[in-house]
């Protein structure tokens, strides 16, 4: 019996005033409601990761820092990822970039989907994240969810009109992103299993 692919929804913002936990919980719920995958939230704020200071990436040698090793072990449990990102000077947060740098093998040959939020839906941060994902040998999911403009203001405390992202779901690309995420997660999980079987 095959198990459902496991997805980690990664909260890529660590500021005390962050809003990112809310869209993370929302997209986790949408993935679980779809039923084809299971989902958990991984919050990088809870890992206390140091700035990357290993002699090399764990692509080349094992990491020494216990928090980095814990992060890697937790990532390794998952078949795919959804990154929840805000935009910082046209890029992702420094904390999320550091979290990428603290692993390699655990990202490898797995899909990266994105939920971005902000004035332009974190569009430029999403593009930067996709370049980073390629470098750690991930596959980018082409469809993304961008919570932007008037919709963003409706659900964010800055606007405060609504308090529930479901109020703007009809304006988002959620179903397409989940469909693409499932397709790539299932395909890559199957391919990784076949590679392991051939190597055994």
């Amino acid at each position: 019996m095959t198990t459902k692919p496991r997805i980690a929804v990664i909260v890529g913002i660590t500021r005390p005033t962050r809003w990112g936990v809310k869209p993370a919980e929302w997209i986790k719920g949408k993935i679980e409601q779809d039923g084809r995958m299971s989902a958990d939230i991984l919050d990088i704020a809870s890992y206390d990761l140091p700035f990357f200071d290993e002699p090399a990436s764990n692509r080349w040698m094992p990491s020494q820092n216990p928090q980095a090793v814990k992060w890697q072990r937790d990532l390794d449990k998952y078949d795919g990822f959804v990154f929840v990102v805000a935009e910082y000077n046209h890029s992702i947060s420094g904390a999320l970039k550091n979290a990428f740098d603290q692993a390699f093998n655990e990202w490898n040959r797995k899909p990266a989907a994105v939920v971005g939020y902000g004035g332009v839906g974190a569009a430029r941060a999403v593009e930067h994240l996709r370049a980073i994902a390629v470098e750690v040998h991930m596959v980018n999911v082409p469809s993304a969810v961008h919570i932007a403009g008037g919709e963003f203001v409706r659900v964010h405390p800055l606007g405060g009109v609504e308090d529930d992202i479901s109020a703007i779901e009809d304006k988002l690309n959620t179903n397409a992103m989940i469909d693409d995420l499932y397709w790539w997660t299932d395909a890559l999980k199957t391919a990784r299993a076949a590679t392991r079987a051939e190597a055994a």
Side-chain angles (χ1 to χ4, degrees):
M1 182 173 129
T2 59
T3 58
K4 287 182 182 180
R6 297 186 67 190
I7 302 298
V9 177
I10 296 179
V11 182
I13 309 96
T14 58
R15 292 182 303 127
T17 57
R18 64 190 176 157
W19 182 70
V21 173
K22 188 157 218 169
E25 291 172 344
W26 167 77
I27 198 62
K28 175 183 181 289
K30 298 302 290 183
I31 291 167
E32 291 175 336
Q33 182 182 346
D34 175 79
R36 290 175 288 179
M37 301 171 282
S38 65
D40 299 312
I41 292 177
L42 292 186
D43 187 346
I44 59 176
S46 69
Y47 282 85
D48 193 27
L49 289 168
F51 283 117
F52 180 76
D53 60 357
E54 302 286 342
S57 160
N58 76 332
R59 180 183 187 183
W60 307 112
M61 63 177 61
S63 298
Q64 301 301 310
N65 184 276
Q67 288 301 104
V69 172
K70 182 181 187 311
W71 173 241
Q72 293 161 8
R73 287 177 179 163
D74 286 354
L75 293 176
D76 198 43
K77 300 172 188 175
Y78 294 95
D79 302 302
F81 301 93
V82 177
F83 297 92
V84 177
V85 302
E87 187 166 312
Y88 294 75
N89 298 319
H90 289 207
S91 187
I92 60 175
S93 70
L96 180 55
K97 177 59 170 65
N98 184 56
F100 264 108
D101 294 342
Q102 296 284 0
F104 179 88
N105 302 321
E106 298 74 19
W107 303 122
N108 201 231
R109 297 177 180 175
K110 296 178 183 178
V114 191
V115 174
Y117 66 87
V120 294
R124 295 158 298 205
V126 170
E127 288 306 303
H128 193 189
L129 184 146
R130 285 174 166 164
I132 297 165
V134 168
E135 188 61 22
V136 293
H137 297 195
M138 300 183 84
V139 173
N140 282 304
V141 171
S143 300
V145 174
H146 296 278
I147 303 172
E151 281 70 45
F152 171 65
V153 172
R154 281 181 63 191
V155 297
H156 190 273
L158 288 174
V161 179
E162 305 280 354
D163 190 41
D164 192 341
I165 297 175
S166 63
I168 60 167
E169 281 180 355
D170 60 331
K171 307 292 186 184
L172 305 177
N173 201 29
T174 313
N175 292 336
M177 190 272 274
I178 291 173
D179 284 345
D180 283 350
L181 175 62
Y182 174 74
W183 194 96
W184 281 108
T185 301
D186 185 60
L188 292 168
K189 183 180 180 183
T190 301
R192 289 195 310 275
T195 300
R196 286 194 298 268
E198 288 173 6

